[in-house]
Amino acid sequence: MDNSIVNFTTPQASTNSTSPSSGPTTLEDGLKMFICCLNVLFGVPTHSYVIWLIVTETGSSFVSRFFILNLSVCEIGNCLHGLLVLLAFLFSSLTAASHFFQGLGITGRPLFQCLMCVERYLAVVHPVTFLKYKPLRYRVMFSTAAWIICLVSCSSCIFILVSFEFDIFTWFFSVQFLIFLSIQLFCLMAVLRALKQSGPGERGREREEENHMKRRAFYLILITTVSMIILYVPFVILGFVIILTKQNIIGFWFSVVVCYVVAGFIQPVVYLHSAGKLFCLRSA
């Protein structure tokens, strides 16, 4: 779960905002505090549990879930952002620090989701290449590069937001959304196409096992893509509405943040369900 959207969509982004004591500002501050509390109280335990489950695994299970591990670590950083937003109400000096962690929600989460999708895509469409880069050292290399990109994004966020360049900020996350979504849609279509095809000489149990693997990869990429659409589409729309109208509609704002919160829970819920740790959905 992540609430890095809250700083951008507050009345500071609207030139029509009057004073901090006005009605809409007070209501939005209350909603912001409520959402950030949910972020910290539910996000930290959920992702910490996912991290613990993955770290305690051994062998190939740990390697195959390495990107999920990095995604959960990134989400813990997003939870830290929510905590900093809460503390910024008491200590305004922490506002800049909260801007820094916005990069994890804007770049970190979709980037690691893309790595997961590309991994599934290679496993289904290019299995030889997948086996070549299957060892853990390659995943560590890709993850390290991803964290460097996240660091650059975090630094960019703090520079843009401190400068109050909200138009640039909207283009900043919108372009990233289009890039990440395009990659995920490509992986989704490629795996779907592979799912409809059967390899030569396949029959019986072998064909069924391969189709099962393809279906799992397809559903994972589909769920990741849907979560990214839920995360970014309302976010982008709201950003452009604020820029064009110079107004912040509180009902629209709250709906966007709810979508953003829901999107953050999709991936850990999917993992916990696949690991058989989501007791309310565990099959008999």
Side-chain angles (χ1 to χ4, degrees):
M1 178 165 55
D2 171 73
N3 294 305
S4 53
I5 187 176
V6 292
N7 280 347
F8 172 63
T9 56
T10 52
Q12 292 176 343
S14 174
T15 57
N16 292 339
S17 298
T18 55
S19 63
S21 60
S22 62
T25 304
T26 302
L27 180 57
E28 288 193 25
D29 286 345
L31 291 174
K32 182 195 295 188
M33 294 180 67
F34 173 73
I35 293 170
C36 289
C37 286
L38 290 179
N39 182 25
V40 176
L41 294 177
F42 292 95
V44 172
T46 301
H47 292 289
S48 297
Y49 184 47
V50 171
I51 292 173
W52 181 80
L53 289 175
I54 296 176
V55 170
T56 54
E57 291 179 342
T58 57
S60 60
S61 296
F62 174 79
V63 175
S64 63
R65 293 175 172 85
F66 189 73
F67 290 140
I68 301 177
L69 172 65
N70 281 268
L71 177 61
S72 292
V73 173
C74 179
E75 294 290 359
I76 294 293
N78 288 330
C79 294
L80 178 59
H81 165 75
L83 179 61
L84 289 173
V85 171
L86 287 173
L87 293 176
F89 282 100
L90 300 176
F91 309 99
S92 59
S93 58
L94 294 176
T95 301
S98 67
H99 290 332
F100 177 82
F101 282 94
Q102 261 184 298
L104 295 178
I106 292 173
T107 303
R109 179 196 289 175
L111 179 55
F112 285 114
Q113 287 179 340
C114 275
L115 287 175
M116 293 165 54
C117 292
V118 171
E119 180 186 36
R120 301 299 179 180
Y121 159 76
L122 291 176
V124 173
V125 182
H126 302 286
V128 176
T129 304
F130 172 75
L131 292 175
K132 178 181 178 181
Y133 293 101
K134 188 177 181 180
L136 179 61
R137 64 179 181 273
Y138 292 109
R139 286 178 167 83
V140 173
M141 291 171 56
F142 293 134
S143 297
T144 301
W147 281 111
I148 293 174
I149 295 174
C150 290
L151 181 61
V152 173
S153 177
C154 291
S155 301
S156 301
C157 284
I158 191 172
F159 176 77
I160 295 172
L161 290 175
V162 169
S163 302
F164 293 99
E165 298 290 346
F166 297 108
D167 291 13
I168 297 177
F169 186 69
T170 300
W171 285 107
F172 178 68
F173 65 71
S174 297
V175 170
Q176 291 188 70
F177 162 67
L178 292 176
I179 293 174
F180 291 134
L181 182 61
S182 298
I183 295 173
Q184 292 191 14
L185 289 176
F186 171 79
C187 295
L188 183 68
M189 294 298 102
V191 173
L192 178 61
R193 182 180 179 182
L195 183 60
K196 293 181 178 180
Q197 298 176 347
S198 297
E202 292 180 346
R203 58 183 178 179
R205 185 178 181 86
E206 292 181 359
R207 178 183 299 176
E208 182 63 28
E209 289 178 352
E210 179 168 351
N211 287 338
H212 177 68
M213 180 193 69
K214 292 179 179 179
R215 283 194 296 269
R216 288 188 60 184
F218 172 77
Y219 288 135
L220 184 142
I221 298 175
L222 177 62
I223 291 172
T224 303
T225 304
V226 170
S227 69
M228 189 171 176
I229 292 174
I230 294 174
L231 182 150
Y232 266 115
V233 170
F235 194 177
V236 172
I237 293 175
L238 177 59
F240 282 113
V241 167
I242 292 176
I243 289 173
L244 295 175
T245 66
K246 305 301 180 182
Q247 294 180 355
N248 190 19
I249 305 172
I250 189 168
F252 191 14
W253 175 85
F254 188 70
S255 300
V256 169
V257 177
V258 168
C259 291
Y260 212 70
V261 168
V262 171
F265 273 116
I266 293 177
Q267 204 63 52
V269 168
V270 170
Y271 171 75
L272 292 175
H273 177 57
S274 63
K277 301 297 182 179
L278 199 63
F279 302 105
C280 60
L281 296 179
R282 179 182 292 182
S283 57

